Each structure stands twice: as C-alpha cells, then as structure tokens.
Amino acid sequence: MRQLVVSFVVVSLLLLTGHARATESLVEGLKKACNKELTTFCKGVQPGEGRILACLYAFQDRVSGKCEYAIYDAGTQLEQAAVALKFAASECKEDLLKYCGNVEVGKGRVQACLDKHEKSLSEKCKEALQQTGLK
C-alpha cells in the first residue's frame, strides 16, 4: 500500500512537469483496475487532497489483486519516469537556467521552452532528452 502513496505523489509531480498525457493513461488504467474498490468503498469520496488515496488505504485489506497490481505497476512506471526526469533536469540544468529560468513550471511550459531553444541546447542536454524519451 506504500506503493500507492508513492504512486499518487509521483503522479502529482509528473503532472506539474507537463507529462500529463502519460500519467492520464496510468490514472485511467488504475481507475479501470480499481473500479470495484472505487465504486464500492470510495463512492462518496470527493477527489482531491489525497482523500481517495486515504479511502483505498483504509480498505487495503479488501483491495483486489488486480487493483493492487495496477497500483504497483503504475508506481513502477512512474518511478522510472521520475528518474528519467531527474536525469534530464540534471543534464540540462545550465540550459534550463539560461533559456527557461523565468518560465513557470507546469502545463508543459518548460518542455515548450526547451523545444523553442532546441537548436541552442548543449549536446549533453540534447542527449539526455533523447535518451529519456523526452524529445
């Protein structure tokens, strides 16, 4: 169940960095796999501020194997994505500061800034974006 907490935290971070499409498909997959749990145990829970997570945690002894696996799988994928983002941010640090230092984080704005300055980016940054699939 700890993986569930990690998954939701990482989803939030990825949404802030502009990777909403990938995380949306993970969220949809979780909703589908955990539909029974969400509609049975958490039906009246208002989304936001971790309330659904708290609900699932409260009923962790009743979560199906299918739901538990989906949570684990999503957590693993999100962890890999977070590592890739951290690596790319590290490799692109100077470029991010130079070209995108004043750009507000979220809604893909930083990625759009990097795309705009693609030709001026350092080779190290270009390689990292390529290796991580961010470009």
Side-chain angles (χ1 to χ4, degrees):
M1 193 48 77
R2 181 172 289 191
Q3 189 69 31
L4 180 66
V5 174
V6 172
S7 299
F8 279 90
V9 169
V10 176
V11 166
S12 300
L13 292 172
L14 290 175
L15 287 172
L16 288 174
T17 60
H19 292 275
R21 279 179 263 123
T23 55
E24 282 175 9
S25 66
L26 286 175
V27 170
E28 289 306 312
L30 281 170
K31 283 181 182 178
K32 185 177 179 182
C34 298
N35 184 55
K36 178 184 168 199
E37 291 81 354
L38 294 171
T39 58
T40 303
F41 308 126
C42 307
K43 185 176 183 180
V45 177
Q46 181 181 357
E49 299 180 7
R51 288 185 286 268
I52 292 176
L53 172 61
C55 176
L56 288 173
Y57 185 76
F59 292 98
Q60 66 182 314
D61 59 329
R62 298 184 192 171
V63 171
S64 69
K66 179 180 177 182
C67 178
E68 191 172 341
Y69 177 77
I71 293 167
Y72 173 79
D73 185 52
T76 301
Q77 289 181 50
L78 292 170
E79 186 176 10
Q80 290 171 348
V83 168
L85 285 171
K86 185 177 178 181
F87 171 72
S90 173
E91 295 296 296
C92 295
K93 183 177 179 179
E94 290 94 23
D95 295 303
L96 286 166
L97 291 171
K98 182 177 181 179
Y99 301 113
C100 308
N102 295 325
V103 174
E104 185 179 353
V105 175
K107 298 184 180 180
R109 289 184 284 257
V110 174
Q111 183 70 49
C113 176
L114 288 174
D115 291 344
K116 179 181 175 183
H117 297 284
E118 181 179 7
K119 292 182 180 181
S120 303
L121 297 177
S122 66
E123 287 305 312
K124 177 172 85 167
C125 180
K126 288 179 189 178
E127 266 185 50
L129 294 174
Q130 188 71 35
Q131 288 172 356
T132 57
L134 296 171
K135 187 66 191 157

